[in-house]
Amino acid sequence: MRVFSFIPALAVLVTAVAGAALPVDDNCGLEKGCEVAKLAIKHDFFEHPTRTIHGLTNAALLRRGLPLKNPILRRGTPVRRIGPSGTPEPDPEPEPKPKPEPKTIHHRGIQIKRSSDNSVLGYVSSSTSAGAYLYSNINRALVVTFETDQTGSGTQLDLIPENSDIPNSKSLGLAQGIGNTNSVLSPGSYNYVYLASTHLSPPPWTFDSATGTLAPRWVNPDGSLPNVQYFVQNGVIYVGGDEAAFYARYPVAVTSITFEFIPL
């Protein structure tokens, strides 16, 4: 019972004997007797010489009557940055789109002239026969719309009929003749094409605004542009590679012609 009366003085005793060897007999010379020291040793109240309070667990601290450790915030393993973060490259400025070239819209009729004397024979007609455009007087002339640059001239022109008797006519083009051996126009061949309404790529019409001359061209299957001739026979307009060969095959009078755009 004597032992418990000295427990409040334990803190003083710990300070006095910390790190010192304790006697094993009751007559150890300590003011409070060796029983108190033995009790302290039994419950590990003293710090071991090679340990500090930082190495104790919270359980050991509780046994010693000491405050618990502050909680430790656990973080992930830091990653060493080798270099500064790069600055992302700004998106390149988009190149300005070129402004579309101004276009001039034309509404014209197509006049037909004799090659022999440049006299007016007639006009490409708004009327057709079996899909082929005829020629007629000015009262029935076909009106087409097309675009050129500011010079008024152009190539690869797309001629759009405005008053054709063919419903939903797309482009004024060239169609292969039904009597052809193939679609090649060349010297010595009677193969021919005629003016027609086409839904495919239009022929590369060319127009010279200085002279008014209009020239439809034909593209052979190999991509070549053959030299062609323009002529009429029995009211129908033809384009062929050899007018004489055509006449030999179809021996009815033919007339060589040229085309010219005129305002209507």
Side-chain angles (χ1 to χ4, degrees):
M1 299 298 295
R2 177 185 172 191
V3 173
F4 294 101
S5 64
F6 288 100
I7 290 178
L10 182 59
V12 176
L13 175 62
V14 170
T15 303
V17 301
L22 294 178
V24 297
D25 58 298
D26 289 336
N27 299 319
C28 60
L30 295 178
E31 182 183 3
K32 304 302 180 185
C34 287
E35 290 295 329
V36 175
K38 290 177 181 179
L39 181 64
I41 292 174
K42 179 180 178 181
H43 292 281
D44 197 23
F45 287 165
F46 300 125
E47 295 179 7
H48 295 286
T50 59
R51 297 177 63 187
T52 65
I53 191 172
H54 300 292
L56 299 178
T57 65
N58 279 332
L61 291 174
L62 285 173
R63 289 196 298 269
R64 295 171 182 235
L66 298 175
L68 300 179
K69 299 179 182 180
N70 292 327
I72 299 175
L73 180 62
R74 301 292 182 181
R75 294 186 175 89
T77 304
V79 178
R80 180 182 177 187
R81 187 182 295 279
I82 298 176
S85 297
T87 302
E89 292 290 336
D91 293 335
E93 291 292 332
E95 295 184 3
K97 295 182 179 179
K99 294 182 179 180
E101 185 178 332
K103 298 290 185 180
T104 300
I105 299 178
H106 306 268
H107 301 274
R108 301 282 183 100
I110 304 174
Q111 191 175 72
I112 299 174
K113 292 185 174 181
R114 294 182 177 88
S115 300
S116 58
D117 58 10
N118 208 34
S119 62
V120 176
L121 181 64
Y123 301 82
V124 174
S125 176
S126 59
S127 300
T128 60
S129 175
Y133 280 96
L134 308 175
Y135 72 91
S136 63
N137 59 40
I138 195 170
N139 296 326
R140 303 188 67 178
L142 178 70
V143 178
V144 295
T145 300
F146 61 99
E147 292 182 350
T148 66
D149 58 23
Q150 293 298 303
T151 67
S153 300
T155 60
Q156 305 273 346
L157 300 182
D158 188 5
L159 309 186
I160 309 300
E162 293 185 0
N163 58 339
S164 171
D165 66 358
I166 299 177
N168 302 317
S169 182
K170 297 298 183 180
S171 298
L172 181 63
L174 300 175
Q176 180 179 329
I178 59 175
N180 286 9
T181 57
N182 54 50
S183 59
V184 176
L185 300 186
S186 62
S189 171
Y190 64 82
N191 288 344
Y192 63 94
V193 295
Y194 51 83
L195 293 187
S197 180
T198 62
H199 294 266
L200 303 176
S201 299
W205 294 84
T206 62
F207 173 53
D208 184 348
S209 61
T211 63
T213 302
L214 177 69
R217 301 298 304 272
W218 176 258
V219 181
N220 281 331
D222 62 0
S224 62
L225 292 173
N227 293 323
V228 293
Q229 299 167 334
Y230 316 118
F231 49 92
V232 295
Q233 183 185 70
N234 199 29
V236 179
I237 304 165
Y238 296 98
V239 178
D242 192 321
E243 179 184 323
F246 176 87
Y247 176 73
R249 176 71 175 181
Y250 306 101
V252 176
V254 297
T255 302
S256 299
I257 61 171
T258 59
F259 298 101
E260 185 174 323
F261 265 142
I262 62 168
L264 286 179

